[in-house]
Amino acid sequence: MIRKYISHFALLLSALLLWQCEPNIDSFQPSNGTADFSSFVTIGDSYTAGYTDGALSQYGQMNSFSAIMAKQLMSVGTTEFKQPLIPEGKSIGSAGNASLILYETGIPSIPVAPLAQPGNIELLTDPSTWINGQYHNIGVPGAKSFHLLAPEYGNPALGAGNFNPFYARFASQPGVSSMLTDAMANTPTFFNLWLAGNDVLSYALSGGQGNVGGTGTNDITDEATFTFAINTLLTNLSAGGAKGVIGNIPDIEAIPYISYIQYDALELTADLAAQMNAAYAAYNAGAAANGLPTMDFKEGRNAFVIADPTYPIAQMRQALPGEKILISALAGIQSEDRWGSATPIPNTHTLHIQTPPFNSVNQVENIKSAIVSFNAILKAQADAHGVAFADINALMEDLKDGYVIDGHTYTTAFITGGIFSLDGIHSTARGSAIIANSFIEAINNKYGAQVPKANVNDYITVEFP
């Protein structure tokens, strides 16, 4: 009898323990913590705007990390989130007929076919199509930190190439207002500031065709200008007690546009290798006579042939480990010109390192050191102004090795990883949800809030035919 009671008690205790271990779906109650989310504003560049698949479209805008954040914040007080939407079925910046606009805004043309509809340049160049007004999403493709402070950035009177038509299209007063003043017009109680790296990535995406420490189209922004811009932005955005969150810059190794094509991805058969060695025999004779490395080809993987204006032999050589071949070179590699083998890949599509006896500018190191410096500045400014800090760089590092969410594994691999869209730079909708959740986690940790995270798998990624 005692054994029977013990058995019944054990069953009851087991059932009780199992009941206590069951997740309570009602236990999570959204809360704003110490933050006020009633007027939410986002300000930044192409990521903030919703640029994806090589274009800005309404689909991308509705599935940007900004829009996803706003949707989640509506459970804790955000009342509206107005965006300068592109008309449905249209896009700006697609491959084919938007090269002028991409050039004007300092973004290199992308050879990978986007999912978006063909580009509609008139939406940017024809003032009658502009929708100037007051919006909560102040995201402008191509914007650098200091651009956010400059009314000139949206001034069409300066002429093509001297202003950003992506901004002029929706600026409240083109040529008078700045991105910052337009953001402040909403009297934000909470803001998101994320400059996804144009201060350094414009240099990277152009193949290092800029200066280090300047303010030109492709220059790496100098530290003093960057610090001044970030401090000015945070000082104004947090005025009156507004709280916010700021993100940092991912390392270039996480960006497929830069990291996808390996320096030694030139695959050759034995016959082709023999033909290449014969074709470069005269080059090799000159290199050997000057004590420089020869170009040697074999069956299997080989280093690409790249242009190098500083190199004394024919201004070309084979790529070195650690050098980058941009995705923009892909079309030439696959063309009859046979970039990387029959002809060198132009240096506008590569990023060089410097190692003896090569005298190239170490463009890779310029980029990496700038990102480290800028990220330190961003963290210091976040701390100084008491705002939340989202470590997007660390997020991308985790994603490089594989990140499991609800049974799905995501990586930064081009196309197959699920994070990056077909342009190799910007995120898919699902990638945007992952980024949004990183910002939300930072908000919750800083302000004691309980903002619900987005269900990542509710959003789509690259769709295969």
Side-chain angles (χ1 to χ4, degrees):
M1 181 67 68
I2 293 175
R3 182 178 300 171
K4 180 179 179 181
Y5 284 130
I6 292 174
S7 177
H8 286 172
F9 178 75
L11 289 172
L12 181 63
L13 180 63
S14 296
L16 179 62
L17 290 172
L18 286 173
W19 176 78
Q20 288 177 330
C21 292
E22 284 291 315
N24 185 352
I25 59 174
D26 295 324
S27 62
F28 184 91
Q29 294 295 327
S31 166
N32 65 304
T34 61
D36 177 0
F37 299 106
S38 56
S39 179
F40 173 58
V41 170
T42 61
I43 182 168
D45 55 24
S46 53
Y47 263 83
T48 299
Y51 206 95
T52 187
D53 291 321
L56 184 64
S57 63
Q58 186 175 130
Y59 162 80
Q61 291 174 300
M62 297 300 292
N63 290 280
S64 67
F65 87 88
S66 306
I68 295 171
M69 278 187 69
K71 180 180 178 181
Q72 300 307 115
L73 290 174
M74 286 181 179
S75 67
V76 289
T78 296
T79 56
E80 64 174 348
F81 187 69
K82 293 177 63 178
Q83 299 193 84
L85 295 175
I86 303 295
E88 188 174 359
K90 296 181 181 292
S91 64
I92 307 171
S94 303
N97 61 345
S99 58
L100 170 66
I101 297 305
L102 292 174
Y103 170 77
E104 287 179 353
T105 55
I107 306 171
S109 181
I110 296 166
V112 181
L115 290 175
Q117 298 296 317
N120 291 274
I121 297 176
E122 73 276 4
L123 293 173
L124 292 183
T125 58
D126 181 0
S128 68
T129 66
W130 295 355
I131 52 172
N132 309 110
Q134 187 172 330
Y135 300 96
H136 297 92
N137 187 335
I138 314 295
V140 176
K144 295 185 179 184
S145 58
F146 54 90
H147 289 150
L148 278 62
L149 310 176
E152 296 85 358
Y153 199 52
N155 187 359
L158 297 176
N162 297 310
F163 77 104
N164 188 324
F166 280 98
Y167 177 48
R169 172 182 171 266
F170 73 88
S172 61
Q173 295 179 281
V176 177
S177 62
S178 69
M179 292 174 62
L180 175 59
T181 61
D182 277 350
M184 295 302 297
N186 293 285
T187 316
T189 60
F190 198 89
F191 62 87
N192 178 282
L193 173 64
W194 189 33
L195 303 173
N198 284 326
D199 288 88
V200 61
L201 289 182
S202 292
Y203 176 89
L205 302 181
S206 68
Q209 302 304 299
N211 297 314
V212 177
T215 54
T217 300
N218 296 322
D219 292 349
I220 294 178
T221 305
D222 69 87
E223 290 185 14
T225 298
F226 185 79
T227 303
F228 172 81
I230 299 301
N231 178 58
T232 302
L233 290 164
L234 290 177
T235 297
N236 282 271
L237 289 167
S238 61
K243 294 179 171 62
V245 60
I246 186 170
N248 62 2
I249 305 170
D251 184 75
I252 59 171
E253 299 294 343
I255 302 172
Y257 190 93
I258 296 172
S259 63
Y260 175 65
I261 303 177
Q262 300 299 302
Y263 83 99
D264 61 347
L266 175 60
E267 292 278 355
L268 297 174
T269 64
D271 286 344
L272 283 175
Q275 292 175 30
M276 291 280 290
N277 285 324
Y280 285 99
Y283 175 98
N284 285 339
N290 287 275
L292 296 170
T294 57
M295 288 202 279
D296 299 306
F297 302 93
K298 63 183 186 304
E299 182 179 5
R301 292 178 69 93
N302 293 267
F304 282 108
V305 179
I306 64 173
D308 182 350
T310 70
Y311 201 64
I313 307 297
Q315 296 187 318
M316 62 179 177
R317 57 177 174 81
Q318 282 185 284
L320 300 169
E323 294 191 311
K324 306 297 182 184
I325 312 297
L326 305 183
I327 280 183
S328 56
L330 191 60
I333 291 170
Q334 297 173 342
S335 73
E336 293 181 356
D337 293 331
R338 293 168 54 201
W339 284 8
S341 53
T343 57
I345 298 174
N347 68 335
T348 52
H349 302 275
T350 62
L351 292 171
H352 299 168
I353 64 173
Q354 186 179 59
T355 181
F358 305 97
N359 296 313
S360 307
V361 173
N362 197 331
Q363 297 162 333
V364 173
E365 180 56 31
N366 287 343
I367 295 163
K368 287 180 174 289
S369 62
I371 290 175
V372 170
S373 174
F374 289 165
N375 283 348
I377 292 169
L378 289 166
K379 180 63 167 68
Q381 289 293 320
D383 292 343
H385 291 86
V387 300
F389 180 78
D391 194 345
I392 307 300
N393 183 36
L395 170 68
M396 290 299 174
E397 283 295 314
D398 290 340
L399 286 166
K400 279 165 56 178
D401 298 325
Y403 200 85
V404 179
I405 301 174
D406 296 335
H408 294 260
T409 300
Y410 300 96
T411 72
T412 56
F414 186 42
I415 298 179
T416 59
I419 300 296
F420 285 94
S421 69
L422 295 180
D423 61 29
I425 302 171
H426 302 93
S427 58
T428 61
R430 198 168 291 184
S432 293
I434 292 172
I435 292 168
N437 283 346
S438 186
F439 279 107
I440 289 171
E441 183 175 353
I443 291 168
N444 288 343
N445 290 338
K446 179 68 176 179
Y447 302 112
Q450 288 199 109
V451 179
K453 291 185 178 180
N455 186 339
V456 172
N457 294 330
D458 283 349
Y459 296 88
I460 69 168
T461 183
V462 175
E463 294 184 326
F464 296 93

